[in-house]
Amino acid sequence: MLKEQEIYTVTIEDLTHQGEGVGKVEGFPLFVQGTIPGDLAKVRMDKKRKNFGHASLVELIKPSEDRVESVCPYHHHCGGCQTLTLSYEAQLKYKDKKVRDTIQRIGKINKEIRPILGMKEPYRYRNKAQFPIGLEEGEAVIGFFQRGSHDIVSIDDCKIQHPFNKEIIKTLKKYIRENKVSIYNEKTEKGLLRHLVTKVGFQSEEQMIILVINGESLPKEKELIDRITQAFPRVKSIVINKNTKKTNVIMGSKNRVLYGQEYMVDTLCNLEFQISPHAFYQVNPIQTEILYEQVVEMTALEGNETVLDVYCGIGTISLLMARTAEKVIGVENVEAAVQDAKINAKRNHITNAEFHAADAEVFIPELALQKAKPEVVVVDPPRKGCDEAVLEAIVTLSPQKIVYVSCNPSTLARDLKYLDNKGYQVEIIQPVDLFPNTVHVECVVLMSRV
Ligand code: SAH
């Protein structure tokens, strides 16, 4: 019987979904923050639950062979990256294992997966950052939420973000200080400035800044615009987003353009895309091209197909498909993203793609009632996976191929199982590392009707 506050020696064998090391003592699993597979460690059990315990690291007796020096000084506290001390090679192995195990365990599908496609340089890959702003001893701090809390870790630079962020943080802090801008307090719900959101086009080099505020306007807006545009001539858009609600959702629904346009443009797979503040755009553009190439290869279009792109965002996959398909139908429930998708079709002189603003769980069943017959269906849902109504309707549509793009192996496995039971066979499982140094992993799966 293990007890709370006792010290145990444990060999770490695995990682949890949150990136904690897992090791067993007398068959009882302990989750230990700050450890990685291969570590031999002395740990203290802080909290005992029914089937596992939370423990903290007391001493690293023998470090894992996969251990590396973290490139980030904040990695102990910041909730962003979880696996900075695990070598990149070992991270990739871990992700392969996670995908394989999850698809077997939850999906009951025994299919070899293809080795994950990793990055050459697994840093500075993100094109989007959302920094909470807080106060520490009267000074504004900009950074990230601490792991498991809403305390802010003040940071100067984030190694997975574009270097632009480092500079804009400095500029914004100076503006806050000089104009005594009040900072939002989650507890009292008072104060103005809440979040700094940045987007950067890796190919276009365009930049967008969104300032989320609890109110209508910022002090000395004209001066702020001058400061930013003089220091950063690539900034094409500065937007004020109003969020006066007590919520963890970062952005409110209303935007006001402070400078430039209400969007940023980037290029991906030789197509140009405009991206609005509220629209989704994959955060790792280098790996996204690799991911989308996989989608193109798996769909293997010949030219006479109708393709349905469910959860299409700003139309990235749709427009890629439209280059070869006869017709593409995209559906997405963020109105601004659908507007972007329509304009993106025009930007790229694509006339065989149509976009609908609707909930997939409403739109796809309607399409099935209309007896539409797409040959290929691509789905790229959020983390919670596809609604069962969507899967059911896809089965009724009866496409030859389904390509499933997923950022969550658990819901992917659940949905694959559903489709497998309805006569779709998994042909290819291809993980892609879109999120180096974190526990997250993207997958593309090809299924065909048997
Ligand atoms: N395929 C796109 C977007 C994928 S992200 C790309 O690669 O860029 C998932 C998208 O699904 C987001 O744009 C989100 O707004 C949208 N979404 C979430 N729930 C939805 C629903 N119930 N119906 C339609 N779209 C939804």
Side-chain angles (χ1 to χ4, degrees):
M1 271 290 270
L2 273 63
K3 285 200 197 102
E4 283 186 4
Q5 301 311 321
E6 290 283 301
I7 305 274
Y8 299 99
T9 299
V10 59
T11 301
I12 303 299
E13 286 160 6
D14 204 351
L15 286 174
T16 64
H17 289 311
Q18 279 78 40
E20 299 148 305
V22 189
K24 285 182 180 163
V25 178
E26 299 167 24
F28 190 79
L30 295 179
F31 297 175
V32 196
Q33 188 68 59
T35 61
I36 58 169
D39 281 343
L40 177 66
K42 224 180 241 176
V43 306
R44 177 186 302 107
M45 179 153 69
D46 303 319
K47 197 125 213 107
K48 191 177 177 185
R49 309 259 184 222
K50 193 162 165 242
N51 299 316
F52 62 90
H54 288 288
S56 47
L57 181 63
V58 175
E59 187 196 339
L60 200 54
I61 303 168
K62 189 169 173 286
S64 163
E65 283 174 4
D66 294 325
R67 219 172 231 285
V68 292
E69 195 72 46
S70 163
V71 297
C72 172
Y74 312 108
H75 84 274
H76 286 297
H77 309 291
C78 174
C81 298
Q82 302 89 15
T83 52
L84 280 162
T85 57
L86 190 60
S87 74
Y88 189 53
E89 215 187 316
Q91 289 182 32
L92 294 177
K93 271 195 205 142
Y94 160 74
K95 291 184 186 189
D96 271 346
K97 179 174 176 295
K98 175 168 159 173
V99 171
R100 194 185 312 112
D101 291 355
T102 310
I103 289 180
Q104 265 177 20
R105 184 169 48 83
I106 300 176
K108 312 278 177 231
I109 292 164
N110 282 308
K111 176 88 193 165
E112 255 321 293
I113 65 163
R114 290 190 176 170
I116 189 167
L117 301 167
M119 290 192 88
K120 282 200 191 77
E121 180 56 40
Y123 303 105
R124 302 272 181 218
Y125 61 81
R126 278 188 68 102
N127 60 13
K128 178 185 173 189
Q130 311 190 107
F131 301 104
I133 305 173
L135 269 184
E136 215 175 79
E137 291 167 11
E139 276 284 310
V141 289
I142 302 180
F144 285 117
F145 287 129
Q146 205 156 340
R147 195 174 285 123
S149 94
H150 269 203
D151 293 343
I152 296 170
V153 185
S154 170
I155 66 151
D156 297 323
D157 185 23
C158 170
K159 292 291 199 295
I160 63 169
Q161 291 288 356
H162 192 281
F164 164 63
N165 289 289
K166 188 175 166 176
E167 303 307 320
I168 189 73
I169 285 177
K170 259 192 245 162
T171 304
L172 189 62
K173 273 188 177 164
K174 191 154 179 275
Y175 158 79
I176 294 169
R177 202 165 46 237
E178 290 177 7
N179 293 287
K180 303 198 169 51
V181 182
S182 69
I183 306 297
Y184 181 72
N185 179 316
E186 280 190 331
K187 290 192 188 97
T188 62
E189 294 171 58
K190 296 221 161 56
L192 193 57
L193 200 47
R194 295 178 73 143
H195 268 85
L196 162 67
V197 179
T198 66
K199 299 192 186 196
V200 181
F202 274 38
Q203 291 193 30
S204 68
E205 300 188 4
E206 290 193 8
Q207 295 158 346
M208 177 183 228
I209 293 169
I210 304 162
L211 295 160
V212 184
I213 64 171
N214 172 37
E216 297 294 335
S217 59
L218 284 164
K220 302 229 180 90
E221 287 184 348
K222 175 79 180 63
E223 194 196 302
L224 175 64
I225 296 168
D226 290 344
R227 258 184 220 233
I228 293 176
T229 52
Q230 275 160 25
F232 311 102
R234 294 184 198 286
V235 169
K236 292 286 188 271
S237 168
I238 308 175
V239 171
I240 297 274
N241 175 269
K242 181 179 167 184
N243 188 356
T244 53
K245 292 201 182 119
K246 188 179 176 72
T247 169
N248 283 341
V249 178
I250 294 172
M251 291 212 280
S253 58
K254 268 176 76 183
N255 292 323
R256 174 166 61 91
V257 178
L258 209 54
Y259 169 81
Q261 324 132 352
E262 200 181 345
Y263 59 84
M264 184 198 82
V265 177
D266 196 20
T267 302
L268 210 58
C269 304
N270 297 316
L271 291 169
E272 224 179 71
F273 296 100
Q274 79 164 47
I275 306 142
S276 291
H278 284 89
F280 175 90
Y281 185 55
Q282 292 285 2
V283 295
N284 181 336
I286 299 161
Q287 291 297 88
T288 298
E289 288 200 328
I290 292 173
L291 176 79
Y292 289 169
E293 268 167 34
Q294 294 296 317
V295 177
V296 169
E297 255 174 53
M298 289 183 193
T299 48
L301 299 178
E302 286 175 349
N304 50 2
E305 298 92 344
T306 297
V307 179
L308 180 60
D309 182 13
V310 192
Y311 311 97
C312 70
I314 58 168
T316 45
I317 295 176
S318 308
L319 298 181
L320 261 178
M321 300 283 107
R323 293 203 284 214
T324 5
E326 185 170 302
K327 185 183 167 190
V328 178
I329 305 167
V331 58
E332 157 68 44
N333 72 355
V334 172
E335 188 83 44
V338 177
Q339 289 310 322
D340 285 345
K342 287 179 181 169
I343 294 166
N344 289 334
K346 290 210 181 84
R347 271 183 184 277
N348 295 288
H349 313 290
I350 289 171
T351 52
N352 59 338
E354 57 178 61
F355 295 98
H356 301 267
D359 288 326
E361 56 277 23
V362 175
F363 185 83
I364 310 299
E366 275 172 13
L367 215 55
L369 280 178
Q370 291 161 18
K371 306 213 181 324
K373 285 274 160 258
E375 283 79 11
V376 176
V377 173
V378 179
V379 295
D380 184 2
R383 287 188 62 76
K384 67 174 185 201
C386 295
D387 198 283
E388 198 168 312
V390 172
L391 295 176
E392 197 186 321
I394 289 174
V395 172
T396 310
L397 291 170
S398 184
Q400 214 72 48
K401 288 180 182 171
I402 301 172
V403 175
Y404 195 132
V405 183
S406 159
C407 58
N408 183 348
S410 305
T411 53
L412 169 69
R414 179 200 68 200
D415 293 350
L416 292 183
K417 185 178 172 197
Y418 180 95
L419 293 168
D420 181 72
N421 285 334
K422 303 281 179 180
Y424 281 88
Q425 178 177 302
V426 173
E427 306 282 355
I428 302 172
I429 305 168
Q430 175 66 69
V432 182
D433 195 16
L434 249 55
F435 315 103
N437 302 307
T438 78
V439 287
H440 298 288
V441 55
E442 190 87 5
C443 285
V444 203
V445 176
L446 172 65
M447 300 189 93
S448 66
R449 199 178 65 217
V450 284

